[in-house]
């Protein structure tokens, strides 16, 4: 993904001062002029900017835009592919203010909240598609607290911040577990998680498998988390609430129109490399690029891989070669009929090592030999 703030600034300067849309041949069209001095922005499902003709474009935002500050301003509306309003709100020079409301595809209210100086205040209320209440989270204190929760049968499981919570959420992006959902379950006291919590992976046939175990203290702080798949401890809790992706729009991040980017697979590669290769006491302050080729069968299983463009030291190359066999799957290339085909992928990545020797792999992209 890319930070596109400077690009947006220069692009806006061009067509706001000339009164015409700039020549963007060979470039992504991420925004365009709209009537009455407004600007139309093009986003995917997760509020990353994408080209207006990209097949993953799913949201259009119409808003004022302050070019000199590179921020949204005044009232805005977001529309889905069918032209239905999915979100409304207001920015004061980039700062969220007043009521924000999101809607299900049929137009029923999905959630509502009020912002003050960019922060939610009072109750953030979530609703099921049939209009019945789902979750109420209160933000009168520094930490959001789950005050009410109703399950899908309409039974209230949490009242006045106390009760039992079991809520299913989809994985937003690619994961190597092969399950589309994870389910959070645990006890809530005074609006905060307390004691023993679990996460289960869930498939479309309702098959469940234990994924994580967590222990929260009396303050609702995670004391210990354990990932059973990675056999590793962690100290940042998994999500408890539906993810409000609209926050991403304010960062003005863009994605190329490829499935590897849209699905989050390139981000997965970044996290996979960074998790396995964390640091080296002998390597510091390095910026470098590398690439490798991987051969795939029709189902996306790697059959061979070769480091192509090497890093600057043999030690770094050895580290990268250690990770390659640990990546069990890539999305297969497809023929015109949508069937998987054998192909060779070239994967490009960047490596940054800070002055403490910590590794950060980023900016992955994939080129396919047989599929553009």
């Amino acid at each position: 993904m890319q930070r596109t703030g400077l690009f947006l600034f220069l692009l806006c300067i061009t067509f706001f001062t000339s009164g015409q849309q700039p020549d963007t041949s060979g470039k992504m069209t991420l925004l365009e002029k709209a009537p009455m001095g407004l600007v139309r922005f093009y986003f995917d499902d997760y509020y990353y900017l994408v080209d207006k003709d990209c097949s993953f474009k799913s949201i259009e935002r119409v808003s004022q835009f302050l070019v000199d500050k590179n921020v949204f301003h005044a009232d805005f509306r977001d529309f889905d592919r069918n032209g239905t309003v999915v979100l409304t709100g207001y920015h004061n020079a980039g700062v969220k203010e007043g009521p924000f409301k999101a809607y299900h595809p049929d137009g029923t209210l999905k959630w509502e909240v009020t912002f003050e100086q960019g922060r939610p205040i009072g109750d953030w209320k979530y609703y099921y598609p049939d209009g019945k209440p789902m979750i109420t989270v209160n933000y009168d204190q520094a930490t959001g607290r789950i005050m009410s929760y109703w399950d899908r049968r309409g039974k209230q499981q949490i009242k006045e911040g106390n009760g039992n919570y079991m809520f299913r959420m989809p994985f937003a992006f690619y994961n190597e577990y092969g399950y589309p959902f994870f389910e959070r379950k645990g006890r809530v006291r005074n609006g905060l998680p307390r004691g023993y919590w679990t996460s289960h992976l869930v498939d479309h046939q309702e098959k469940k498998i234990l994924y994580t175990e967590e222990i929260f203290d009396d303050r609702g702080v995670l004391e210990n988390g354990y990932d059973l798949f990675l056999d590793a401890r962690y100290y940042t809790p998994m999500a408890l609430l539906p993810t409000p992706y609209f926050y991403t729009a304010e960062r003005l991040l863009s994605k190329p129109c490829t499935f590897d980017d849209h699905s989050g697979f390139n981000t997965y590669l970044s996290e996979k490399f960074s998790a396995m290769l964390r640091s080296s006491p002998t390597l510091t302050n390095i910026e470098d690029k590398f690439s490798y080729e991987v051969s795939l069968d029709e189902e996306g299983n790697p059959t061979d891989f070769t480091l192509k463009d090497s890093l600057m030291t043999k030690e770094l190359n050895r580290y990268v070669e250690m990770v390659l066999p640990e990546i069990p799957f890539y999305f297969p290339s497809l023929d015109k009929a949508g069937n998987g085909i054998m192909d060779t992928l070239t994967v490009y990545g960047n490596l940054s090592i800070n002055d403490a020797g910590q590794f950060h792999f980023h900016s992955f992209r994939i080129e396919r030999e047989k599929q553009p």
Side-chain angles (χ1 to χ4, degrees):
M1 79 190 61
Q2 306 173 27
R3 175 74 187 185
T4 58
L6 178 60
F7 170 75
L8 284 176
F9 178 82
L10 295 175
L11 184 60
C12 288
I13 286 290
T14 303
F15 73 69
F16 282 128
T17 56
S18 67
Q20 298 180 354
Q21 181 181 338
D23 178 9
T24 57
S25 57
K27 298 180 180 179
M28 294 190 295
T29 301
L30 308 177
L31 71 162
E32 291 182 309
K33 291 181 65 175
M36 302 177 64
L38 301 175
V39 183
R40 189 181 304 275
F41 296 82
Y42 303 109
F43 297 102
D44 68 6
D45 292 321
Y46 308 107
Y47 279 91
Y48 287 91
L49 288 161
V50 293
D51 184 81
K52 65 174 292 187
D53 295 321
C54 177
S55 58
F56 302 119
K57 184 199 75 176
S58 60
I59 298 170
E60 296 187 9
R61 170 170 294 186
V62 178
S63 173
Q64 290 187 38
F65 189 76
L66 300 183
V67 178
D68 57 338
K69 296 183 177 180
N70 220 35
V71 295
F72 300 111
H73 182 61
D75 292 311
F76 74 88
R77 280 177 170 75
D78 293 349
F79 302 86
D80 66 12
R81 293 183 181 91
N82 299 318
T84 302
V85 175
V86 293
L87 179 65
T88 63
Y90 178 88
H91 292 96
N92 180 13
V95 180
K96 295 181 290 295
E97 294 283 359
F100 275 57
K101 293 185 178 182
Y103 300 89
H104 291 286
D106 65 355
T108 58
L109 190 61
K110 184 176 184 180
W111 56 255
E112 58 184 340
V113 65
T114 297
F115 283 90
E116 185 176 280
Q117 297 182 355
R119 297 179 178 274
I121 60 171
D123 289 339
W124 191 320
K125 298 180 179 181
Y126 297 83
Y127 303 92
Y128 288 106
D130 62 3
K132 293 180 180 178
M134 181 169 65
I135 306 172
T136 299
V137 184
N138 184 266
Y139 285 91
D140 286 339
Q141 301 184 46
T143 302
R145 294 173 180 260
I146 302 173
M147 302 308 296
S148 302
Y149 165 63
W150 291 261
D151 63 24
R152 292 184 176 274
R153 298 169 298 176
K155 183 177 180 180
Q156 188 169 5
Q157 300 287 356
I158 297 176
K159 187 175 182 180
E160 296 180 353
N162 296 292
N164 296 312
Y165 187 74
M166 187 173 72
F167 190 75
R168 182 176 302 180
M169 290 172 280
F171 281 104
F173 299 110
Y174 172 80
N175 69 84
E176 62 185 24
Y177 308 121
Y179 287 78
F181 308 101
F182 66 98
E183 189 173 77
R184 302 285 276 131
K185 183 177 181 180
R187 189 162 51 109
V188 172
R189 292 292 178 266
N190 297 319
L192 300 174
R194 182 77 60 84
Y196 178 69
W197 277 65
T198 61
S199 298
H200 283 78
L201 300 176
V202 186
D203 67 12
H204 291 291
Q205 285 72 46
E206 295 298 313
K207 177 184 176 182
K208 298 182 182 182
I209 185 170
L210 186 61
Y211 175 29
T212 69
E213 296 179 298
E214 297 173 337
I215 301 294
F216 291 87
D217 66 17
D218 292 343
R219 302 166 297 165
V221 176
L222 180 65
E223 287 186 335
N224 206 344
Y226 186 73
D227 186 316
L228 280 75
F229 280 80
L230 297 179
D231 189 22
R233 299 192 181 279
Y234 60 89
Y235 297 94
T236 300
M238 294 186 64
L240 295 176
L241 299 167
T243 304
Y245 296 113
F246 75 96
Y247 279 106
T248 304
E250 298 167 18
R251 301 171 61 192
L252 300 175
L253 298 172
S254 69
K255 282 185 177 179
C257 190
T258 70
F259 187 75
D260 293 303
D261 281 291
H262 176 73
S263 66
F265 187 80
N266 287 344
T267 300
Y268 157 78
L269 288 178
S270 174
E271 294 173 349
K272 184 78 170 180
F273 274 82
S274 297
M276 295 192 68
L277 304 176
R278 296 182 181 275
S279 64
S280 170
T282 61
L283 300 170
T284 59
N285 298 315
I286 291 176
E287 293 284 341
D288 204 356
K289 299 179 180 180
F290 67 98
S291 67
Y292 64 93
E293 289 185 349
V294 56
S295 300
L296 301 182
D297 64 16
E298 297 90 342
E299 296 181 349
N301 301 306
T303 58
D304 191 23
F305 49 82
T306 305
L307 190 61
K308 187 178 178 182
D309 295 321
S310 301
L311 291 161
M312 62 179 62
T313 71
K314 291 183 178 180
E315 184 179 2
L316 286 174
N317 293 323
R318 181 170 57 83
Y319 285 159
V320 170
E321 290 174 335
M322 289 170 53
V323 180
L324 299 185
E326 301 299 322
I327 302 171
F329 172 85
Y330 296 78
F331 285 106
S333 297
L334 306 176
D335 61 18
K336 292 183 179 180
N339 300 312
I341 56 175
M342 297 175 63
D343 200 358
T344 298
L345 278 55
T346 302
V347 182
Y348 298 88
N350 288 29
L351 169 62
S352 300
I353 305 178
N354 63 18
D355 56 6
Q358 296 173 322
F359 289 18
H360 174 51
F361 289 86
H362 60 95
S363 304
F364 279 83
R365 63 185 178 88
I366 294 176
E367 292 183 359
R368 297 171 180 270
E369 187 176 285
K370 297 181 181 178
Q371 177 181 298

